[in-house]
Amino acid sequence: MDGSPDMSQTGKIVVIWNSGAGSTEQSEHLQQRIRATRGTELLVSESREAAQDAVRAAVADGAQRIIAAGGDGTVGTVVDALTECETTSTDLAVLPLGTGNDLARSLGMPLD
């Protein structure tokens, strides 16, 4: 196995990436890996509104999982949009790339 998710089980994955998150080197490397992952779409957002629009569009398009790539603000933005969509069929995942990552720390998520 190459480490890529089995798309027959997970469905479409959309990564909502905060354009200001992560160091430049880290961002470029992770974005390349995401783009290379079959069944995964990367959407880089420049604003809260753009991120929420991307979430709504992804849910409407049948995304099975949305990954919030950024810090606490990005996660909150994605959660707000998911709540508006009233979906129960879209999972949320977090890729902690923020400065403080308080939510990720509170949940015991690895930060590296």
Side-chain angles (χ1 to χ4, degrees):
M1 180 135 192
D2 65 0
S4 298
D6 177 357
M7 299 313 296
S8 66
Q9 294 179 357
T10 60
K12 181 179 176 184
I13 298 172
V14 176
V15 179
I16 308 296
W17 188 287
N18 176 342
S19 64
S23 68
T24 301
E25 182 179 314
Q26 176 193 38
S27 294
E28 290 173 7
H29 174 73
L30 286 173
Q31 286 183 20
Q32 286 176 353
R33 290 188 64 192
I34 291 166
R35 285 186 182 102
T37 303
R38 182 175 44 95
T40 301
E41 181 178 358
L42 174 65
L43 301 172
V44 179
S45 67
E46 300 288 333
S47 69
R48 175 179 173 85
E49 293 77 20
Q52 289 183 322
D53 288 345
V55 169
R56 287 189 285 267
V59 169
D61 194 35
Q64 293 290 110
R65 181 172 298 136
I66 305 246
I67 301 174
D72 297 337
T74 303
V75 175
T77 294
V78 170
V79 167
D80 287 347
L82 283 171
T83 301
E84 291 172 14
C85 295
E86 299 180 6
T87 180
T88 58
S89 61
T90 304
D91 297 330
L92 170 67
V94 176
L95 178 57
L97 299 174
T99 305
N101 291 315
D102 293 331
L103 175 66
R105 288 179 197 284
S106 295
L107 295 174
M109 295 177 66
L111 301 177
D112 57 355

